[in-house]
Amino acid sequence: MPRRRLRRETAVRILAACVEFPENREMERPLITRREALTTIGLLAAAAAASPAFAAGKTVDDSDLILGNRNAPVTIIEYSSLTCPHCANFDLNILPELKKRYIDTGKARLVYRDFPFDRAALLAAALAHCAGPDRYFSFLTVLFGSQKTWARASDPAAALKRIGRLGGLSEKEIDACFANKALLDSILRERLTGAKVFGVDSTPTFFINGRKLLGAQPVESFAAIIDPLLSGS
């Protein structure tokens, strides 16, 4: 199944440690400066060198939002962009069966990590985080389900605000969310980690106990990796 790939110039901008989306030129400065991103890259490289588990994409920490049992034996890490159609296809058409087979049964846990391709995806990711951990994954599903509406709108931020209000957030809370530099920076750093340390260059990209799987593959492709892990073979 086809995957949405980063444009070469976009990847170069990330790895040059200055994340700035083309449609975000009204901002006074990039959300992450060159110095900040270079520092982040250095710390990530050191962590990868010190920890094989980190380098393999297996590490999950307390800040990660997890769908399923935190102690499940299999960890599925997903890097995804909320404006990516193939990511929406996974969330809406593949994840429900994956959840039924492995997540609801306690065999696997899903860790979602942001990899926004554009400013609309960045704001959508922020909105999901501002909904709170209890509603986070429900918001992701709503955002993916309505992606064609808000992502293609002439004003994606206004369309996202409408979704936020329907989800119980006030106008004041949404405005504060979109203006939360610390939150936006953390989302961009997560994308930077995916690109620089784990080699993510398209979405969705998955790591299943460290094994990389590309694209919105059918459930059977996940099962081919997960089942041997569960059986110990």
Side-chain angles (χ1 to χ4, degrees):
M1 188 169 290
R3 295 169 285 122
R4 182 172 179 179
R5 289 199 166 274
L6 281 170
R7 295 178 181 176
R8 178 178 177 80
E9 60 269 23
T10 304
V12 168
R13 277 203 302 275
I14 295 174
L15 300 183
C18 184
V19 180
E20 182 178 15
F21 298 126
E23 57 270 62
N24 199 24
R25 297 192 183 281
E26 73 277 8
M27 300 187 70
E28 294 181 0
R29 56 182 291 275
L31 287 171
I32 298 179
T33 66
R34 181 178 297 274
R35 176 176 293 181
E36 289 170 339
L38 284 173
T39 299
T40 300
I41 289 172
L43 292 173
L44 293 171
S51 171
F54 183 91
K58 297 179 183 178
T59 298
V60 175
D61 59 39
D62 291 339
S63 66
D64 279 308
L65 293 170
I66 295 174
L67 183 64
N69 184 351
R70 294 191 73 92
N71 298 314
V74 174
T75 299
I76 305 168
I77 297 176
E78 175 189 2
Y79 280 92
S80 186
S81 172
L82 282 162
T83 51
C84 160
H86 305 301
C87 302
N89 178 46
F90 170 78
D91 190 274
L92 300 173
N93 301 313
I94 300 167
L95 180 57
E97 180 62 25
L98 194 66
K99 187 172 180 289
K100 179 181 176 182
R101 286 196 203 180
Y102 298 108
I103 297 174
D104 291 345
T105 56
K107 298 174 182 177
R109 58 183 180 172
L110 177 72
V111 180
Y112 183 94
R113 290 183 177 164
D114 296 301
F115 200 86
F117 271 102
D118 46 43
R119 188 167 187 265
L122 175 63
L123 293 179
L127 185 66
H129 282 283
C130 290
D134 292 339
R135 294 188 293 170
Y136 179 72
F137 285 98
S138 296
F139 254 73
L140 291 181
T141 296
V142 169
L143 289 165
F144 278 128
S146 57
Q147 183 190 84
K148 292 181 180 179
T149 301
W150 63 265
R152 297 178 183 178
S154 57
D155 186 349
L160 287 168
K161 284 185 177 183
R162 286 192 290 272
I163 293 172
R165 289 194 297 270
L166 289 172
L169 296 174
S170 68
E171 187 83 16
K172 184 177 180 180
E173 288 173 324
I174 298 170
D175 287 340
C177 179
F178 288 171
N180 188 335
K181 182 181 181 299
L183 173 60
L184 299 178
D185 278 357
S186 70
I187 292 169
L188 291 176
R189 285 194 177 91
E190 191 163 72
R191 169 179 164 160
L192 188 65
T193 303
K196 183 63 178 177
V197 178
F198 302 138
V200 176
D201 67 352
S202 62
T203 57
T205 292
F206 303 89
F207 294 91
I208 305 173
N209 276 21
R211 181 171 171 181
K212 196 173 188 178
L213 180 68
L214 301 176
Q217 301 287 342
V219 173
E220 287 70 24
S221 296
F222 288 86
I225 299 174
I226 296 172
D227 289 346
L229 291 171
L230 294 173
S231 66
S233 59

Coordinates of all heavy atoms in Angstrom, one line a residue, residues 24-78:
N24 N 3.6 28.3 7.6 CA 3.7 28.9 8.9 C 4.6 30.1 8.9 O 5.2 30.4 9.9 CB 4.2 27.8 9.9 CG 4.0 28.1 11.3 OD1 3.0 28.9 11.6 ND2 4.7 27.6 12.2
R25 N 4.8 30.8 7.8 CA 5.7 31.9 7.7 C 5.3 33.1 8.5 O 6.2 34.0 8.7 CB 5.9 32.3 6.2 CG 6.5 31.1 5.4 CD 7.0 31.6 4.1 NE 7.5 30.5 3.3 CZ 8.6 29.9 3.4 NH1 9.5 30.4 4.3 NH2 9.0 28.9 2.6
E26 N 4.1 33.2 9.0 CA 3.7 34.3 9.7 C 4.3 34.3 11.1 O 4.3 35.3 11.9 CB 2.2 34.4 9.9 CG 1.5 33.4 10.8 CD 1.3 32.1 10.1 OE1 1.7 31.9 9.0 OE2 0.6 31.3 10.7
M27 N 4.9 33.2 11.6 CA 5.5 33.1 12.9 C 6.8 33.9 12.9 O 7.5 33.9 11.9 CB 5.7 31.6 13.3 CG 4.5 30.8 13.3 SD 4.8 29.1 13.9 CE 5.1 29.5 15.6
E28 N 7.1 34.5 14.0 CA 8.3 35.3 14.1 C 9.6 34.5 14.0 O 10.6 35.0 13.6 CB 8.2 36.1 15.4 CG 7.1 37.1 15.5 CD 7.1 37.9 16.8 OE1 8.0 37.6 17.6 OE2 6.3 38.7 16.9
R29 N 9.5 33.2 14.5 CA 10.7 32.4 14.5 C 10.3 31.0 14.4 O 9.1 30.6 14.8 CB 11.5 32.6 15.8 CG 10.7 32.4 17.0 CD 11.5 32.6 18.3 NE 12.6 31.6 18.5 CZ 12.4 30.4 19.1 NH1 11.2 30.1 19.5 NH2 13.4 29.6 19.2
P30 N 11.1 30.1 13.9 CA 10.8 28.6 14.0 C 10.5 28.2 15.4 O 11.0 28.7 16.3 CB 12.0 28.0 13.4 CG 12.8 29.0 12.7 CD 12.5 30.3 13.4
L31 N 9.6 27.2 15.5 CA 9.2 26.7 16.9 C 10.4 26.1 17.5 O 10.6 26.2 18.7 CB 8.1 25.7 16.8 CG 6.7 26.3 16.4 CD1 5.7 25.2 16.2 CD2 6.2 27.1 17.6
I32 N 11.3 25.5 16.8 CA 12.5 24.9 17.3 C 13.7 25.6 16.6 O 13.8 25.6 15.3 CB 12.6 23.4 17.1 CG1 11.5 22.7 17.8 CG2 14.0 22.9 17.5 CD1 11.5 21.2 17.7
T33 N 14.6 26.2 17.3 CA 15.7 26.9 16.7 C 16.7 25.9 16.3 O 16.7 24.7 16.7 CB 16.3 27.9 17.6 OG1 16.9 27.2 18.7 CG2 15.3 28.9 18.2
R34 N 17.7 26.3 15.4 CA 18.7 25.4 15.0 C 19.5 24.9 16.2 O 19.9 23.7 16.3 CB 19.7 26.2 14.0 CG 20.8 25.4 13.5 CD 21.6 26.2 12.5 NE 20.8 26.6 11.3 CZ 20.6 25.8 10.3 NH1 21.2 24.6 10.2 NH2 19.9 26.2 9.3
R35 N 19.8 25.8 17.1 CA 20.6 25.4 18.3 C 19.9 24.4 19.1 O 20.4 23.4 19.6 CB 21.0 26.6 19.1 CG 21.7 26.2 20.4 CD 22.2 27.5 21.2 NE 23.2 28.3 20.5 CZ 23.7 29.4 21.0 NH1 23.3 29.8 22.2 NH2 24.6 30.0 20.3
E36 N 18.6 24.6 19.4 CA 17.8 23.7 20.2 C 17.7 22.3 19.5 O 17.9 21.3 20.2 CB 16.4 24.3 20.3 CG 16.3 25.5 21.3 CD 15.0 26.1 21.2 OE1 14.2 25.9 20.2 OE2 14.6 26.8 22.2
A37 N 17.5 22.3 18.2 CA 17.4 21.1 17.5 C 18.7 20.3 17.4 O 18.7 19.1 17.6 CB 16.8 21.3 16.1
L38 N 19.8 21.0 17.2 CA 21.1 20.4 17.3 C 21.4 19.8 18.6 O 22.0 18.7 18.7 CB 22.2 21.4 16.9 CG 22.3 21.7 15.4 CD1 23.3 22.9 15.2 CD2 22.7 20.5 14.6
T39 N 21.0 20.5 19.7 CA 21.2 19.9 21.0 C 20.3 18.7 21.2 O 20.8 17.6 21.7 CB 20.8 21.0 22.1 OG1 21.6 22.1 21.9 CG2 20.9 20.4 23.5
T40 N 19.1 18.7 20.7 CA 18.2 17.5 20.8 C 18.8 16.4 20.0 O 18.8 15.2 20.5 CB 16.8 17.9 20.2 OG1 16.3 18.9 20.9 CG2 15.9 16.7 20.3
I41 N 19.3 16.6 18.8 CA 19.9 15.5 18.0 C 21.1 14.9 18.7 O 21.3 13.7 18.8 CB 20.4 16.1 16.6 CG1 19.1 16.4 15.8 CG2 21.3 15.1 15.9 CD1 19.4 17.1 14.5
G42 N 21.9 15.8 19.4 CA 23.1 15.3 20.1 C 22.7 14.4 21.3 O 23.2 13.3 21.5
L43 N 21.6 14.8 22.0 CA 21.2 14.0 23.1 C 20.6 12.7 22.7 O 20.7 11.6 23.3 CB 20.1 14.8 23.9 CG 20.7 16.0 24.7 CD1 19.5 16.8 25.3 CD2 21.6 15.6 25.8
L44 N 19.8 12.7 21.6 CA 19.2 11.5 21.0 C 20.2 10.5 20.5 O 20.1 9.3 20.7 CB 18.2 11.9 19.9 CG 17.0 12.7 20.3 CD1 16.3 13.1 19.0 CD2 16.1 11.8 21.2
A45 N 21.3 11.1 19.9 CA 22.3 10.2 19.4 C 23.1 9.5 20.5 O 23.4 8.3 20.5 CB 23.3 11.0 18.6
A46 N 23.3 10.3 21.6 CA 23.9 9.7 22.8 C 23.1 8.6 23.4 O 23.6 7.6 23.8 CB 24.2 10.8 23.8
A47 N 21.8 8.9 23.5 CA 20.9 7.9 24.1 C 20.8 6.6 23.2 O 20.8 5.5 23.7 CB 19.5 8.4 24.2
A48 N 20.9 6.8 21.9 CA 20.8 5.6 21.0 C 22.1 4.8 21.2 O 22.1 3.6 21.1 CB 20.7 6.1 19.6
A49 N 23.2 5.5 21.3 CA 24.5 4.8 21.5 C 24.6 4.0 22.8 O 25.1 2.9 22.9 CB 25.7 5.8 21.4
A50 N 24.0 4.6 23.8 CA 24.0 4.0 25.1 C 23.0 2.9 25.3 O 23.2 2.0 26.2 CB 23.8 5.1 26.2
S51 N 21.9 2.9 24.6 CA 20.9 2.0 24.8 C 20.4 1.3 23.5 O 19.8 2.0 22.7 CB 19.7 2.7 25.4 OG 18.5 1.8 25.5
P52 N 20.7 0.0 23.3 CA 20.3 -0.7 22.1 C 18.7 -0.7 22.0 O 18.2 -0.6 20.9 CB 20.8 -2.1 22.3 CG 22.0 -1.9 23.2 CD 21.6 -0.8 24.1
A53 N 18.1 -0.7 23.1 CA 16.6 -0.8 23.1 C 16.1 0.6 22.6 O 15.1 0.6 21.8 CB 16.0 -1.0 24.5
F54 N 16.7 1.7 23.0 CA 16.3 3.0 22.5 C 16.5 3.1 21.0 O 15.6 3.5 20.2 CB 17.1 4.1 23.2 CG 16.7 5.5 22.8 CD1 15.7 6.1 23.5 CD2 17.2 6.1 21.7 CE1 15.3 7.4 23.1 CE2 16.9 7.4 21.3 CZ 15.9 8.0 22.1
A55 N 17.7 2.7 20.5 CA 18.0 2.7 19.1 C 17.1 1.9 18.3 O 16.8 2.2 17.1 CB 19.5 2.3 18.9
A56 N 16.6 0.8 18.8 CA 15.7 -0.1 18.1 C 14.2 0.4 18.2 O 13.3 -0.3 17.6 CB 15.8 -1.5 18.7
G57 N 14.0 1.5 18.8 CA 12.6 2.0 18.9 C 11.7 1.2 19.9 O 10.5 1.2 19.7
K58 N 12.3 0.6 20.9 CA 11.6 -0.2 21.8 C 11.2 0.6 23.1 O 10.4 0.2 23.8 CB 12.4 -1.5 22.2 CG 12.6 -2.4 21.1 CD 13.4 -3.6 21.6 CE 13.8 -4.6 20.4 NZ 14.6 -5.7 20.9
T59 N 11.9 1.7 23.3 CA 11.8 2.3 24.6 C 10.4 3.1 24.7 O 10.1 3.8 23.8 CB 12.9 3.3 24.8 OG1 14.1 2.6 24.9 CG2 12.7 4.1 26.1
V60 N 9.7 2.9 25.8 CA 8.5 3.6 26.1 C 8.6 4.2 27.5 O 9.1 3.5 28.4 CB 7.3 2.7 26.1 CG1 6.0 3.4 26.5 CG2 7.1 2.1 24.7
D61 N 8.3 5.5 27.6 CA 8.5 6.1 28.9 C 7.1 6.6 29.5 O 6.1 6.5 28.8 CB 9.5 7.2 28.9 CG 9.1 8.3 27.9 OD1 7.9 8.7 27.8 OD2 10.1 8.9 27.3
D62 N 7.1 7.2 30.6 CA 5.9 7.6 31.3 C 5.2 8.7 30.5 O 4.0 8.9 30.7 CB 6.2 8.1 32.7 CG 6.7 7.0 33.6 OD1 6.4 5.8 33.3 OD2 7.3 7.3 34.6
S63 N 5.9 9.4 29.7 CA 5.2 10.5 28.9 C 4.4 10.0 27.7 O 3.6 10.7 27.1 CB 6.2 11.5 28.4 OG 7.1 10.9 27.5
D64 N 4.7 8.7 27.3 CA 4.0 8.2 26.2 C 2.5 7.9 26.5 O 2.2 7.4 27.6 CB 4.6 6.9 25.7 CG 5.9 7.1 24.9 OD1 5.8 7.8 23.9 OD2 6.9 6.5 25.2
L65 N 1.6 8.2 25.6 CA 0.2 7.8 25.7 C 0.0 6.5 25.1 O 0.4 6.3 23.9 CB -0.6 8.9 25.0 CG -0.6 10.3 25.7 CD1 -1.3 11.3 24.9 CD2 -1.2 10.2 27.1
I66 N -0.6 5.6 25.8 CA -0.6 4.2 25.4 C -2.0 3.7 25.3 O -2.9 3.9 26.2 CB 0.2 3.3 26.4 CG1 1.7 3.7 26.3 CG2 0.0 1.8 26.1 CD1 2.5 3.0 27.4
L67 N -2.4 3.0 24.3 CA -3.6 2.3 24.1 C -3.4 0.9 24.5 O -2.7 0.1 23.8 CB -4.1 2.5 22.6 CG -5.5 1.9 22.3 CD1 -6.6 2.6 23.1 CD2 -5.8 1.9 20.8
G68 N -4.1 0.4 25.5 CA -4.0 -0.9 26.0 C -3.2 -1.1 27.3 O -3.0 -0.1 28.0
N69 N -2.9 -2.3 27.6 CA -2.2 -2.6 28.9 C -0.7 -2.1 28.8 O 0.0 -2.6 27.9 CB -2.2 -4.1 29.1 CG -1.6 -4.5 30.4 OD1 -1.0 -3.7 31.1 ND2 -1.8 -5.8 30.8
R70 N -0.3 -1.3 29.7 CA 1.0 -0.7 29.7 C 2.1 -1.9 29.9 O 3.2 -1.7 29.5 CB 1.2 0.3 30.8 CG 0.4 1.5 30.7 CD 0.9 2.6 31.7 NE 2.2 3.2 31.3 CZ 2.4 4.2 30.5 NH1 1.3 4.9 30.1 NH2 3.6 4.7 30.3
N71 N 1.7 -3.0 30.4 CA 2.6 -4.1 30.6 C 2.5 -5.2 29.6 O 3.0 -6.3 29.8 CB 2.4 -4.7 32.0 CG 2.6 -3.7 33.1 OD1 3.6 -3.0 33.1 ND2 1.7 -3.6 34.1
A72 N 1.8 -4.9 28.5 CA 1.6 -5.9 27.4 C 3.0 -6.4 26.9 O 3.9 -5.5 26.8 CB 0.8 -5.4 26.3
P73 N 3.1 -7.6 26.5 CA 4.5 -8.1 26.0 C 4.9 -7.6 24.7 O 6.1 -7.6 24.4 CB 4.2 -9.6 26.0 CG 2.8 -9.8 25.8 CD 2.1 -8.7 26.6
V74 N 4.0 -7.1 23.9 CA 4.3 -6.6 22.6 C 4.0 -5.1 22.5 O 2.9 -4.7 22.9 CB 3.6 -7.3 21.4 CG1 3.8 -6.7 20.1 CG2 4.0 -8.8 21.4
T75 N 5.0 -4.3 22.0 CA 4.8 -2.9 21.9 C 4.8 -2.5 20.4 O 5.7 -2.8 19.7 CB 5.9 -2.1 22.6 OG1 5.9 -2.4 24.0 CG2 5.8 -0.6 22.5
I76 N 3.7 -1.8 20.0 CA 3.6 -1.3 18.7 C 3.7 0.2 18.8 O 2.8 0.9 19.4 CB 2.2 -1.7 18.0 CG1 2.0 -3.2 18.1 CG2 2.1 -1.1 16.6 CD1 0.5 -3.6 17.7
I77 N 4.8 0.7 18.2 CA 4.9 2.2 18.2 C 4.6 2.7 16.8 O 5.1 2.2 15.8 CB 6.4 2.6 18.5 CG1 6.7 2.2 20.0 CG2 6.6 4.1 18.4 CD1 8.2 2.4 20.4
E78 N 3.7 3.6 16.7 CA 3.2 4.2 15.5 C 3.6 5.6 15.3 O 3.4 6.5 16.2 CB 1.7 4.1 15.4 CG 1.1 4.8 14.1 CD -0.4 4.9 14.2 OE1 -1.0 4.5 15.2 OE2 -1.0 5.4 13.2

